[in-house]
Amino acid sequence: MKWYQYVAAFFAGVFLANVVPHYVHGISGDPFPTPFANPPGKGLSSPIINVLWACFNLFIGYVLLRVSKASPQNKLSMFLLFLGITAISLMASISFMDKMKP
């Protein structure tokens, strides 16, 4: 594999993991921060915006996954995919730690 395919595998994991919170909050009818909120990433966006943002992330993640050609046979690409998932998940957990505090 070429170097950029490994980078694409990492970012595919990032985008695909980011689908989950936005989609869940969106279809549950709950507002949740997006880059389009005021202030970006801190304010709350409507459920519709969250569903649209989730679908955009899903599309980008899918495209990157195809570009990466990640497969179970290539252990490094799988590791980078899961590393991307882990990285964005940890960043989100730290960023939203105070979300439920008044």
Side-chain angles (χ1 to χ4, degrees):
M1 283 179 56
K2 297 187 169 127
W3 68 268
Y4 63 84
Q5 291 172 311
Y6 291 111
V7 173
F10 176 83
F11 283 103
V14 170
F15 278 93
L16 292 173
N18 200 36
V19 169
V20 176
H22 294 286
Y23 188 74
V24 169
H25 282 280
I27 64 170
S28 297
D30 298 328
F32 191 71
T34 67
F36 310 108
N38 190 14
K42 301 252 186 235
L44 299 176
S45 293
S46 72
I48 292 172
I49 296 297
N50 273 284
V51 168
L52 293 173
W53 184 239
C55 290
F56 175 76
N57 277 271
L58 182 62
F59 175 74
I60 297 299
Y62 173 75
V63 169
L64 288 171
L65 191 61
R66 295 297 302 245
V67 167
S68 75
K69 298 182 182 170
S71 70
Q73 290 77 28
N74 186 329
K75 302 297 184 212
L76 181 56
S77 68
M78 287 285 99
F79 173 75
L80 290 170
L81 178 73
F82 289 112
L83 187 63
I85 291 169
T86 302
I88 194 71
S89 299
L90 289 173
M91 288 174 49
S93 70
I94 292 166
S95 177
F96 296 123
M97 197 179 307
D98 298 329
K99 183 177 180 290
M100 298 307 288
K101 294 180 183 174

